[in-house]
Amino acid sequence: FLLEYESWYLQWLSERIRKIDTAHDLHVNNHQIFCNVAEYDFVKWRGFLNSLGASAHPSWHYGYFSRNQYALAMAANCNIIRSGAGELPYWVTELQAGNNLYSGTVPICPTGDEITQWLWTSASNGAEGIIFWSLNPRSATGEPGEWALLSLDNTPSERYLAAKEFVETLNANASLFEGADKFETPVTVLYNRESLWAEKKMQHVGVRQDEGRSTGAVMKEALGLYQACAENGIIPSFSELREFDWDKADYTGQLLIIANQIAIPDEFVEKIGNFVSSGGRLIVTGLTGFWGTLNVCHACNDFLFKDIFGASFKEVKYVGDEFSIKMQAPDISLPSHMWKSTVNTGTAAATASECGETLCCRNSYGKGEVIWIPSLVGLGKRRNNDMNLSYLLMAHTATLDIPLRFACPCSDVLMNTMQNGETYITTIINKNSDARMIPLQVRGALNAEVIFASKGGNVLPGGIVNILPEETLVIKWK
């Protein structure tokens, strides 16, 4: 009801505005995106908006992340809004500019380094504009004396100077950035509203709140897979099920990740199957597809994905807070959380087994394939700060057409990639406490030129990036 009502109401407002003003653009700014996204029908909003916005106050909105991961959260936030906007431009309409005292869930004062990281992350993921909240501190109304880019005496802060340096770099390279946009990655992480609704509906007051069955687990599992991709130097698209283009004839070279989306509407089973049979690769984790339309349990009836996955659920057991899944190829162990699922295989081949039971499998379906890990390995990664899921994804993305990526997974390093014709622009951010030497896998004969280095980092021969702690390094590859 809220989803439909909100779309109707926004359109009603837009029609009232258009009766007196046909000149100005209409824009909606969405906040607390990782919690509230199930309320938003971005596809419908495209019909009456000119642009879509992201509110990005880490102190309010990034509770699923540590402070060291705020740049990663910014990238995910931007890509949810970018996908929702479709062909419309999107803006970061509210970016935290300064200290919060009594407002905000977590008190922080962004450093100049963080402002630099957030600005470059937003721009590198296609934001057409960025607006700070706010320039100067307000003395009255709500939140007095908070959030300002300037100091309390209206002099330039380190945050202001970082923003100034960002703008100066854009202006000095105007022809490069005017025609640039986020590199269209062949990797997409999917979420769907029904899974978020079902998770919230099934909560019970007064029961034990294990993370894997609490509100937020659906999104956190997806974010665990998103992080694993980012640790390979790949920033995926992040789309609601209805925002993905299901109408292509060929999906060769495309990877979809559906992580713990517990309630997939029945009508999307055929679309997902067509994606795989038409050459796509699908990675599935957690209880994806366990329930269907109206929360009907398909796992205990006729599992709708059994032909596509080549297997069906056998059991889902609670075996404790933490456990590991020993994979066969590659030879790694994946930490997982709460639910240890076993499956009955049909056409699928087991890729992890225990006591004669299959824990993971791989299935060829048409021209594509499915990797099914029906346990919470994304949450396991987040809870254990483990890199093995990143190594697994590196193996499954090795053949994708990606011009620049890490040669091996890197923790606490973020690389966003833009493209302008045959030129690429990488923004690399080091959130480690130590300097890093990061070898890149570079396609073809691309020559590197550093156009911004916040602390003096550089690129060494062979595509090795030398980057200091908290540094943002922007490199043009031509």
Side-chain angles (χ1 to χ4, degrees):
F1 171 81
L2 177 59
L3 184 80
E4 297 298 325
Y5 175 82
E6 191 171 53
S7 297
W8 167 82
Y9 183 58
L10 288 173
Q11 183 165 5
W12 181 87
L13 284 174
S14 71
E15 291 168 354
R16 304 285 80 71
I17 293 167
R18 286 295 180 228
K19 286 185 176 182
I20 58 172
D21 183 349
T22 58
H24 292 90
D25 285 351
L26 298 180
H27 180 88
V28 168
N29 179 49
N30 301 279
H31 77 129
Q32 198 68 270
I33 194 67
F34 302 112
C35 299
N36 292 346
V37 71
E39 300 175 10
Y40 305 144
D41 192 341
F42 294 137
V43 174
K44 284 188 177 179
W45 296 7
R46 295 171 189 169
F48 51 83
L49 292 182
N50 300 99
S51 57
L52 193 63
S55 192
H57 291 274
S59 58
W60 275 120
H61 303 148
Y62 294 167
Y64 292 168
F65 300 84
S66 68
R67 183 167 181 171
N68 203 50
Q69 296 175 313
Y70 283 169
L72 173 67
M74 196 72 64
N77 191 346
C78 285
N79 279 293
I80 288 175
I81 299 298
R82 185 175 188 268
S83 176
E87 295 301 314
L88 298 178
Y90 89 90
W91 290 59
V92 175
T93 328
E94 275 192 62
L95 181 62
Q96 180 167 352
N99 192 46
N100 58 303
L101 299 168
Y102 280 89
S103 55
T105 306
V106 177
I108 70 165
C109 182
T111 64
D113 288 334
E114 287 175 318
I115 292 293
T116 298
Q117 293 161 14
W118 302 346
L119 287 169
W120 280 107
T121 298
S122 300
S124 297
N125 285 286
E128 186 171 282
I130 303 166
I131 302 175
F132 280 108
W133 185 270
S134 54
L135 175 63
N136 58 300
R138 296 168 297 165
S139 60
T141 74
E143 304 171 347
E146 300 188 78
W147 306 109
L149 193 64
L150 294 173
S151 298
L152 291 171
D153 60 359
N154 282 325
T155 57
S157 67
E158 64 168 315
R159 304 179 303 282
Y160 178 93
L161 295 175
K164 180 174 182 284
E165 193 173 31
F166 166 75
V167 172
E168 288 173 345
T169 305
L170 290 184
N171 289 338
N173 298 274
S175 61
L176 175 65
F177 287 106
E178 280 172 357
D181 199 356
K182 180 182 187 282
F183 168 68
E184 288 294 346
T185 174
V187 182
T188 301
V189 176
L190 290 180
Y191 68 95
N192 74 291
R193 292 190 289 263
E194 288 81 1
S195 292
L196 294 161
W197 294 344
E199 175 185 66
K200 190 173 182 179
K201 175 67 176 175
M202 291 188 286
Q203 297 302 303
H204 296 278
V205 176
V207 303
R208 184 172 134 182
Q209 294 299 310
D210 304 80
E211 187 175 17
R213 65 175 190 160
S214 299
T215 300
V218 164
M219 184 57 73
K220 289 176 184 177
E221 176 75 8
L223 289 168
L225 274 292
Y226 197 92
Q227 179 182 343
C229 290
E231 289 171 346
N232 283 296
I234 302 167
I235 300 298
S237 298
F238 206 159
S239 302
E240 209 277 333
L241 206 58
R242 294 157 183 83
E243 295 164 5
F244 186 76
D245 183 0
W246 298 105
D247 296 325
K248 293 182 180 180
D250 188 1
Y251 291 98
T252 302
Q254 294 284 310
L255 171 65
L256 280 184
I257 298 172
I258 309 180
N260 197 39
Q261 299 305 297
I262 60 177
I264 302 289
D266 297 357
E267 64 267 25
F268 281 93
V269 176
E270 183 178 352
K271 295 177 186 292
I272 293 168
N274 181 65
F275 168 85
V276 180
S277 65
S278 300
R281 176 172 288 183
L282 176 65
I283 296 178
V284 183
T285 74
L287 299 183
T288 294
F290 195 91
W291 292 277
T293 299
L294 299 180
N295 254 35
V296 172
C297 180
H298 290 310
C300 60
N301 193 349
D302 184 18
F303 187 51
L304 299 185
F305 288 99
K306 64 182 179 181
D307 292 334
I308 303 167
F309 295 0
S312 57
F313 282 102
K314 181 178 182 181
E315 281 203 291
V316 178
K317 295 181 179 179
Y318 174 70
V319 295
D321 205 36
E322 305 284 347
F323 65 94
S324 292
I325 298 173
K326 177 67 174 172
M327 303 291 291
Q328 296 166 3
D331 184 16
I332 57 176
S333 290
L334 297 179
S336 191
H337 171 59
M338 286 196 71
W339 312 128
K340 180 180 283 189
S341 300
T342 56
V343 301
N344 292 317
T345 56
T347 56
T351 55
S353 301
E354 185 177 280
C355 301
E357 302 275 15
T358 299
L359 303 179
C360 309
C361 60
R362 188 170 185 167
N363 186 50
S364 296
Y365 185 74
K367 296 194 298 180
E369 70 170 358
V370 179
I371 294 88
W372 189 19
I373 310 172
S375 295
L376 297 176
V377 292
L379 272 168
K381 172 184 175 47
R382 285 169 55 92
R383 293 164 62 90
N384 293 274
N385 197 27
D386 185 84
M387 293 296 291
N388 279 345
L389 184 60
S390 304
Y391 280 98
L392 180 69
L393 286 182
M394 173 161 271
H396 289 300
T397 59
T399 60
L400 299 182
D401 186 11
I402 298 174
L404 295 123
R405 56 186 298 168
F406 298 150
C408 60
C410 296
S411 62
D412 298 320
V413 181
L414 189 70
M415 183 168 79
N416 303 281
T417 303
M418 303 181 79
Q419 183 175 5
N420 185 347
E422 296 301 312
T423 300
Y424 299 92
I425 309 149
T426 56
T427 296
I428 304 177
I429 297 167
N430 181 18
K431 298 299 294 183
N432 288 275
S433 57
D434 300 316
R436 298 292 299 272
M437 301 285 282
I438 304 168
L440 300 185
Q441 181 178 309
V442 183
R443 183 184 66 196
L446 292 173
N447 297 311
E449 177 190 345
V450 174
I451 61 174
F452 177 79
S454 64
K455 298 181 184 295
N458 59 353
V459 182
L460 303 176
I464 299 173
V465 172
N466 173 33
I467 186 168
L468 298 177
E470 291 296 317
E471 180 164 27
T472 299
L473 190 62
V474 183
I475 307 162
K476 178 173 74 172
W477 303 82
K478 192 173 182 180

